[in-house]
Amino acid sequence: SFTSAFLFSIEVQVTIGFGGRMMTEECPLAITVLILQNIVGLIINAVMLGCIFMKTAQAHRRAETLIFSRQAVIAVRNGKLCFMFRVGDLRKSMIISASVRIQVVRKTTTPEGEVIPIHQVDIPVDNPIESNNIFLVAPLIICHVIDKRSPLYDISAADLALQDLELIVILEGVVETTGITTQARTSYIAEEILWGHRFVPIVTEEEGVYAVDYSKFGNTVKVAAPRCSARELDEKPSIL
């Protein structure tokens, strides 16, 4: 009969009842309960699979464990004025192929008089590795050398407070456990850039074991640094 064939199709679909049929077509109530149970079971499976997938696929959850220093600093490194900030990873799982990009966003006016309210300029990051990838096994200080290519080349310590600019930092990488690309961002305005400061060391080594003190992650210390712009420093190296 149709009812018997319908019961057999349900058994085949959900792989139950093979070997012997306990429910017959003569009990409509039991058939209805079986159908409802199968529907509820499919919904529960779909919800659970969706929760597991969203848990593993949400890249922004992984990005929350990538932290940046609240303030950036400008100090002398290797005889050059440098813009620096600190980035770290709180999880033990690695971020593969991590790279850092910095953009300066400011209001500019072209020689023709056109006003660009949000003008974006990429600035290079000082990285000796040609691939521009960083190994984020411990908190790192990312450095941008203020040279002729930098939008900060003509800015002195006195001019910095008057500048209407924002430096946007973007860190991208692949999560080791899921293989999903994640991105973390932060930004620094002029009031958040400390001139003549340097980050304190937070990585120590004891008996071949490295330890990181995250309580001092954003701490800085004052250092001697010229208050002039990088252009003036290049023109008069004796200022150092």
Side-chain angles (χ1 to χ4, degrees):
S1 64
F2 174 80
T3 305
S4 179
F6 180 72
L7 280 174
F8 179 71
S9 67
I10 293 179
E11 294 173 1
V12 173
Q13 180 181 0
V14 297
T15 62
I16 60 175
F18 288 107
R21 177 178 294 176
M22 300 301 175
M23 189 179 302
T24 67
E25 62 270 18
E26 298 177 0
C27 187
L29 179 60
I31 296 174
T32 304
V33 173
L34 175 65
I35 294 173
L36 292 177
Q37 180 182 355
N38 291 335
I39 293 175
V40 173
L42 291 174
I43 293 175
I44 292 175
N45 289 337
V47 171
M48 292 300 297
L49 289 175
C51 292
I52 295 173
F53 177 77
M54 291 299 295
K55 183 67 176 178
T56 58
Q58 285 182 346
H60 69 274
R61 296 291 183 183
R62 184 64 177 88
E64 290 177 356
T65 58
L66 298 172
I67 57 175
F68 300 88
S69 58
R70 291 186 178 180
Q71 295 173 319
V73 299
I74 293 180
V76 177
R77 175 183 279 190
N78 298 325
K80 298 284 186 179
L81 279 176
C82 297
F83 169 83
M84 294 174 286
F85 61 92
R86 179 174 274 163
V87 60
D89 188 3
L90 297 179
R91 287 195 185 181
K92 293 182 179 180
S93 59
M94 297 293 298
I95 295 292
I96 305 172
S97 301
S99 61
V100 176
R101 295 188 294 114
I102 306 177
Q103 288 185 343
V104 175
V105 179
R106 63 193 307 177
K107 181 180 179 180
T108 59
T109 303
T110 64
E112 295 78 15
E114 180 184 2
V115 177
I116 304 177
I118 303 178
H119 182 58
Q120 302 179 16
V121 180
D122 283 328
I123 60 178
V125 177
D126 184 21
N127 192 350
I129 304 176
E130 294 181 359
S131 62
N132 201 29
N133 293 334
I134 60 175
F135 187 46
L136 204 58
V137 66
L140 299 177
I141 296 177
I142 307 300
C143 175
H144 159 64
V145 179
I146 305 177
D147 53 14
K148 296 180 180 180
R149 302 173 296 170
S150 174
L152 309 177
Y153 190 58
D154 296 318
I155 298 177
S156 63
D159 298 333
L160 181 62
L162 305 177
Q163 294 292 320
D164 184 17
L165 57 83
E166 183 175 6
L167 284 90
I168 299 177
V169 178
I170 303 172
L171 189 149
E172 292 182 339
V174 178
V175 182
E176 183 182 26
T177 54
T178 62
I180 300 174
T181 301
T182 184
Q183 184 183 93
R185 299 181 301 274
T186 190
S187 65
Y188 300 100
I189 58 176
E191 290 78 5
E192 296 173 334
I193 302 175
L194 304 178
W195 195 290
H197 284 69
R198 183 176 297 160
F199 289 105
V200 299
I202 61 174
V203 180
T204 57
E205 180 185 2
E206 295 181 1
E207 298 180 357
V209 178
Y210 290 94
V212 180
D213 186 4
Y214 278 99
S215 63
K216 301 178 182 179
F217 184 81
N219 292 3
T220 61
V221 61
K222 266 192 171 184
V223 294
R227 309 290 293 179
C228 63
S229 64
R231 179 185 292 274
E232 295 174 352
L233 185 62
D234 288 344
E235 295 174 352
K236 298 180 180 179
S238 58
I239 296 177
L240 288 177

